[in-house]
Amino acid sequence: MDKHVMIDIETFGLETYSLVAALGAVKFTKEEGIIDTFYQKLKLQEQMDKGMFADEITLRWWFEQDKQAQQEIFKNSKSVEGVLSDFDRFMVFDNVKTIWACGTNID
């Protein structure tokens, strides 16, 4: 059975150095459908300290969302290293044939 992974990255903008809010992925097969999921939020301050930023349009959009949505995007975030380490484990322990994403440009 060929395993596939669909990846989605939520960002605070469309530029190369935009802050990454979350990394999500779904592991699936044609036969079984979804067999595993991955979703973790990244600490924004750590990224800002390294020169990444949020664009004004995206920030304005977030401020227009309800308070619960605003709080959720910042709750339980992890270090970039921690998220990438967990994602590596999500990917490595399975024989993934194909990785799907929207493209190589920022989300």
Side-chain angles (χ1 to χ4, degrees):
M1 231 177 314
D2 293 334
K3 292 183 182 172
H4 303 262
V5 173
M6 173 67 75
I7 298 172
D8 185 39
I9 299 173
E10 297 302 326
T11 65
F12 278 90
L14 301 175
E15 300 297 322
T16 303
Y17 292 100
S18 295
L19 293 167
V20 177
L23 172 60
V26 176
K27 196 177 293 177
F28 62 97
T29 68
K30 182 178 177 183
E31 299 79 16
E32 297 176 273
I34 296 173
I35 56 175
D36 200 1
T37 61
F38 180 91
Y39 180 79
Q40 291 187 8
K41 293 173 271 186
L42 290 84
K43 289 186 185 275
L44 300 179
Q45 186 61 54
E46 175 185 353
Q47 297 173 65
M48 288 187 288
D49 292 346
K50 294 179 180 175
M52 297 178 80
F53 57 87
D55 72 32
E56 184 179 333
I57 293 169
T58 305
L59 285 177
R60 196 173 316 135
W61 182 87
W62 271 107
F63 286 124
E64 292 170 358
Q65 305 312 302
D66 64 48
K67 292 292 181 196
Q68 184 178 359
Q70 290 177 26
Q71 292 171 350
E72 181 61 32
I73 197 64
F74 299 109
K75 192 168 66 173
N76 299 322
S77 59
K78 294 179 72 173
S79 71
V80 172
E81 183 178 343
V83 170
L84 293 178
S85 178
D86 290 348
F87 187 66
D88 182 55
R89 282 192 294 282
F90 174 80
M91 294 293 290
V92 169
F93 290 122
D94 270 327
N95 198 6
V96 175
K97 178 183 178 185
T98 307
I99 297 174
W100 302 84
C102 193
T104 57
N105 292 337
I106 200 77
D107 192 7

